[in-house]
């Protein structure tokens, strides 16, 4: 078996045992990227020299008898909305083409302190606005299982790179499903932690009350190892929670789910759900039941209002956050003629793509005088109702099981002309962000055409541990997560 | 909800976006459809429901000790400036 096939956890053990060197593993990842990325377009920037230098440093530490832990020498990728000092960061947008951040995001700092090797920056929908990676200004990333299809979005590159064995894990961000949906479409495991579990410092903001950083891995255990390194209070983000970070990885050893109560929401098994997706998810639930979990039907009655609520709150916050891209301090600046005002209008018109403009327009409308109460405040009230649905459900169950998406990866180009149709693809993932819950997507099967299917597990706030236990128990009994696509 | 071109132009102006006539028409149609879908929220009774700005209770104005800590140097802060003058960001003229 080639080294790139091992999981992050397995690689970590082999590095610790000195069966492999970090340089040799990093070189294997770089070779894999070179061999497959012309086809996939997962990476927007590969930092070959930097990665090899970090790998050599890791090998030197081990040679001297030291180690920084489970991630020491492990090659990873980062979605291109994490600021990386000295390394270009575009957020998938022309407006930031050529931008080189002067500081690192908290996650980059923490991963570096853990000895990880950072291979480069991964493709994404522009400003994380999209569900297919097609709004990237640098061309879409392709699905490794079928390059005519989307890997999902907005963290498409972060999912595809893990699926294609270009890296052993990656970090993405999830505002309405942007980790879980591409994880499902690309056949990998992805986790959106509880809101506030991780810092948002140094991550280019989309919707600040919904954005959360999280890991992609081949297994739930890989995700736990990555989350372990990045979670915890950050003095630089006042919304990061000052909550103890449990030993998730330790808690997964021999994890059992016997006696766990799993809620099955009626509203997530409705018309429009692909029959092959429903079959795979129901089989996965039956397996969890066979492992001792109890399946309990529940109601989340405000589910049908999720998309409407999200597509007011997300764009409203985005329209405010993106006002900083004005041509003054960094990025594109169109100042050929006219004054300051002309520079603002021209820079933003030429720098932003159409989906970003569309969301800025929706958000500006919802916040504008005369519409603020009817749209923005009302959406925040409906958000309260959606959150209460979950509070109510979690009195009866320990976690909730659903399909991650109503369908599987769609053809590139199939939905670009119809933004509302694209938004509807997020129907099962965005309530989790509105309620601030942790959510994970696990591979749970393939369609007859060979496309991956994802199962979503939603947990109580700060109860990532239950998601990891369920993931570990499920993946101990199945092998969907260890299948890899033929690329190139 | 049917929006007019004037409404689209007003919103674009608030958002500091210049739109071509084609974009204005495209956004008019698309925003009308999207806002039409969003209107389903209006059917819910939200009387007496308080709005949620953050899912997790956070202290919106936490205080910290006012201590000097390392920060970016002027050179680093200005490294990406499209134009600068000394230690300032230079912008085009503001008053005509």
């Amino acid at each position: 078996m080639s080294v790139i096939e091992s999981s992050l956890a397995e690689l970590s053990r082999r590095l610790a045992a000195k069966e492999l060197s970090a340089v040799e593993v990093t070189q294997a990842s770089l070779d894999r990227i070179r061999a497959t990325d012309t086809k996939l377009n997962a990476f927007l920037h590969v930092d070959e020299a930097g990665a090899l230098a970090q790998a050599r440093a890791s090998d030197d530490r081990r040679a001297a008898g030291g180690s920084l832990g489970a991630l020491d020498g492990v090659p990873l990728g980062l979605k291109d909305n994490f600021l990386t000092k000295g390394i270009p960061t575009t957020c998938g947008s022309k407006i930031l083409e050529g931008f080189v951040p002067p500081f690192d995001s908290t996650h980059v700092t923490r991963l570096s302190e853990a000895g990880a090797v950072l291979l480069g920056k991964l493709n994404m929908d522009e400003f994380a606005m999209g569900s297919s990676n097609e709004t990237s200004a640098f061309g879409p990333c392709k699905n490794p299982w079928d390059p005519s299809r989307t890997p999902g979005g907005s963290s498409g590159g972060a999912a595809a790179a893990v699926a294609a064995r270009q890296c052993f894990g990656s970090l993405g961000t999830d505002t309405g499903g942007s980790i879980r949906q591409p994880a499902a479409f690309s056949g990998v495991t992805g986790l959106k932690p509880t809101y506030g579990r991780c810092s948002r410092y140094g991550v280019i903001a989309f919707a600040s009350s919904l954005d959360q950083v999280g890991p992609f891995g081949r297994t739930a255990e890989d995700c736990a190892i990555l989350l372990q390194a990045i979670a915890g209070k950050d003095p630089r983000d006042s919304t990061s929670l000052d909550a103890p970070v449990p030993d998730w990885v330790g808690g997964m050893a021999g994890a059992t789910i016997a006696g766990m109560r799993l809620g099955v929401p009626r509203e997530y098994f409705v018309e429009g759900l692909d029959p092959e997706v429903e079959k795979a998810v129901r089989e996965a639930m039956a397996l969890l039941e066979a492992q001792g979990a109890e399946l309990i039907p529940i109601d989340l009655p405000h589910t049908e209002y999720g998309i409407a609520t999200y597509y007011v709150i997300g764009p409203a916050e985005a329209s405010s956050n993106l006002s900083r891209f004005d041509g003054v301090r960094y990025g594109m600046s169109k100042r050929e003629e006219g004054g300051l005002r002309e520079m603002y209008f021209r820079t933003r018109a030429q720098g932003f793509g159409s989906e970003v403009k569309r969301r800025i327009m929706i958000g500006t409308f919802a916040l504008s005088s005369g519409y603020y109460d009817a749209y923005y405040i009302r959406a925040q009230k409906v958000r309260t109702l959606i959150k209460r649905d979950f509070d109510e459900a979690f009195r009866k169950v320990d976690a909730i099981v659903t399909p991650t998406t109503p369908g599987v990866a769609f053809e590139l180009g199939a939905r670009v002309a119809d933004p509302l149709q694209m938004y509807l693809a997020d129907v099962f993932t965005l309530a989790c962000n509105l309620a601030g819950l942790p959510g994970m997507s696990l591979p749970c099967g393939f369609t007859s055409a060979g496309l991956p299917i994802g199962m979503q597990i939603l947990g109580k706030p700060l109860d990532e541990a239950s998601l990891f236990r369920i993931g570990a128990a499920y993946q101990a009994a199945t092998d969907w997560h260890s299948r890899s696509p033929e690329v190139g | 909800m049917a929006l007019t071109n004037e409404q689209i132009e007003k919103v674009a102006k608030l958002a500091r976006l210049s739109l071509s006539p084609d974009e204005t028409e495209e956004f008019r149609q698309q925003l009308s459809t999207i806002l039409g879908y969003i209107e389903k929220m209006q059917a819910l009774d939200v009387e007496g429901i308080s709005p949620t700005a953050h899912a997790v209770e956070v202290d919106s104005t936490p205080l910290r000790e006012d201590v000097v800590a390392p920060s970016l140097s002027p050179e680093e802060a200005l490294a990406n400036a499209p134009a600068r003058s000394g230690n300032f960001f230079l912008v085009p003229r503001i008053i005509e």
Side-chain angles (χ1 to χ4, degrees):
Chain A
M1 188 177 84
S2 162
V3 56
I4 57 167
E5 286 296 330
S6 32
S7 68
L8 189 160
E10 174 63 16
L11 173 70
S12 180
R13 284 187 281 274
R14 294 175 73 186
L15 285 167
K18 295 186 185 163
E19 284 172 35
L20 292 166
S21 74
V23 167
E24 140 187 36
V25 171
T26 302
Q27 196 55 60
S29 294
L30 292 167
D31 291 345
R32 178 69 174 170
I33 294 167
R34 196 169 299 122
T36 54
D37 214 45
T38 44
K39 204 168 205 174
L40 298 178
N41 198 28
F43 276 85
L44 294 180
H45 182 87
V46 178
D47 180 23
E48 185 162 342
L52 287 168
Q54 292 158 25
R56 276 191 298 273
S58 171
D59 286 337
D60 290 347
R61 274 192 295 276
R62 287 205 203 270
S67 161
L68 295 173
L71 289 177
D72 204 340
V74 174
L76 303 173
L78 296 165
K79 187 178 182 178
D80 204 24
N81 55 352
F82 289 86
L83 297 189
T84 41
K85 186 174 180 175
I87 294 168
T89 299
T90 66
C91 215
S93 182
K94 272 197 303 191
I95 211 164
L96 280 176
E97 201 166 5
F99 171 67
V100 181
F103 64 95
D104 279 327
S105 84
T106 292
H107 324 81
V108 174
T109 304
R110 290 185 179 177
L111 289 178
S112 300
E113 286 168 359
V117 172
L118 304 177
L119 294 167
K121 307 299 289 291
L122 295 159
N123 205 348
M124 58 183 285
D125 281 295
E126 184 179 7
F127 284 99
M129 297 175 191
S131 306
S132 66
N133 218 287
E134 293 170 282
T135 73
S136 169
F138 307 103
C141 176
K142 317 282 174 58
N143 192 314
W145 296 92
D146 176 354
S148 72
R149 291 173 189 269
T150 169
S154 67
S155 314
V162 173
R165 285 21 185 177
Q166 294 176 328
C167 56
F168 292 86
S170 62
L171 294 189
T173 55
D174 189 318
T175 303
S178 283
I179 289 176
R180 292 158 289 148
Q181 185 256 28
F185 280 11
S186 298
V188 298
T189 306
L191 173 86
K192 176 210 128 19
T194 306
Y195 183 83
R197 182 56 102 174
C198 295
S199 173
R200 291 179 296 109
Y201 179 76
V203 181
I204 298 171
F206 163 8
S208 303
S209 82
L210 305 167
D211 294 347
Q212 189 58 206
V213 167
F216 287 91
R218 292 174 201 166
T219 64
E221 185 185 17
D222 290 359
C223 289
I225 294 170
L226 286 166
L227 186 64
Q228 202 84 56
I230 58 168
K233 177 73 183 169
D234 177 7
R236 288 182 155 129
D237 174 6
S238 65
T239 63
S240 66
L241 297 171
D242 196 5
V245 174
D247 177 6
W248 288 302
V249 182
M252 290 169 82
T256 160
I257 56 167
M260 247 182 150
R261 296 163 306 164
L262 302 179
V264 183
R266 279 179 249 274
E267 294 81 359
Y268 284 59
F269 293 87
V270 289
E271 209 188 313
L273 178 60
D274 180 329
E276 286 193 283
V277 173
E278 173 162 9
K279 184 166 177 284
V281 174
R282 291 216 185 264
E283 282 171 9
M285 294 185 330
L287 178 61
L288 295 173
E289 195 175 26
Q291 290 181 312
E294 185 187 353
L295 299 179
I296 299 170
I298 57 165
D299 286 301
L300 296 169
H302 295 93
T303 297
E304 65 167 305
Y305 300 99
I307 296 174
T309 308
Y310 177 85
Y311 278 96
V312 172
I313 293 174
E317 294 185 15
S319 71
S320 169
N321 274 325
L322 269 60
S323 64
R324 61 170 61 88
F325 299 96
D326 57 6
V328 174
R329 288 152 299 166
Y330 38 71
M332 183 186 283
S333 185
K334 294 290 175 190
R335 42 177 89 191
E336 292 82 9
E337 53 185 296
L340 182 69
R341 198 182 150 77
E342 286 71 24
M343 180 188 78
Y344 290 155
F345 278 85
R346 205 174 298 119
T347 299
R348 293 164 63 80
Q350 294 181 32
F352 291 138
S354 64
E355 182 59 31
V356 173
K357 288 181 193 172
R358 194 152 36 241
R359 304 242 186 148
I360 291 175
M361 293 286 290
I362 298 169
T364 305
F365 175 83
L367 293 174
S368 66
S369 165
Y371 299 100
Y372 181 82
D373 288 330
Y375 286 87
Y376 185 60
I377 296 298
R378 178 168 281 263
Q380 289 192 325
K381 289 179 177 174
V382 181
R383 184 177 185 179
T384 304
L385 296 174
I386 290 170
K387 190 168 179 292
R388 282 185 191 169
D389 284 353
F390 284 102
D391 292 344
E392 193 60 41
F394 282 125
R395 284 196 195 103
K396 292 178 283 214
V397 298
D398 302 305
I400 294 171
V401 189
T402 81
T404 307
T405 53
V408 293
F410 47 88
E411 298 270 346
L412 291 166
R415 298 188 189 180
V416 283
D418 187 348
L420 183 58
Q421 205 52 40
M422 188 73 94
Y423 299 170
L424 298 176
D426 302 338
V427 61
F428 296 155
T429 48
L430 38 74
C432 168
N433 301 73
L434 290 167
L437 309 171
M440 179 160 64
S441 181
L442 300 165
C444 72
F446 289 84
T447 63
S448 48
L451 295 169
I453 298 169
M455 163 170 67
Q456 177 176 242
I457 321 276
L458 302 174
K460 296 176 185 175
L462 293 174
D463 190 21
E464 287 84 2
S466 288
L467 307 189
F468 287 136
R469 272 171 61 200
I470 296 166
Y474 182 72
Q475 292 183 334
T478 57
D479 73 347
W480 307 116
H481 58 281
S482 54
R483 302 197 188 179
S484 59
E486 296 277 339
V487 191
Chain B
M1 168 157 190
L3 294 169
T4 62
N5 277 343
E6 290 68 36
Q7 281 175 298
I8 293 294
E9 283 159 11
K10 187 184 162 211
V11 173
K13 202 170 157 189
L14 287 170
R16 302 291 184 267
L17 286 170
S18 56
L19 301 181
S20 67
D22 283 353
E23 277 182 312
T24 304
E25 177 53 24
E26 195 184 331
F27 282 149
R28 192 189 63 74
Q29 291 178 17
Q30 291 174 342
L31 264 65
S32 297
T33 307
I34 294 163
L35 292 170
Y37 176 84
I38 286 170
E39 289 216 332
K40 71 189 298 173
M41 274 188 340
Q42 309 297 340
L44 272 178
D45 181 8
V46 293
E47 187 69 34
I49 305 292
S50 56
T52 295
H54 262 276
V56 178
E57 285 298 320
V58 286
D59 183 355
S60 57
T61 50
L63 299 176
R64 60 164 174 80
E65 292 302 314
D66 189 13
V67 243
V68 178
S71 60
L72 294 182
S73 68
E75 280 310 313
E76 288 172 307
L78 285 157
N80 285 285
R84 64 183 280 189
S85 171
N87 276 353
F88 297 97
F89 293 98
L90 192 65
V91 296
R93 69 177 187 278
I94 295 171
I95 298 164
E96 306 283 321

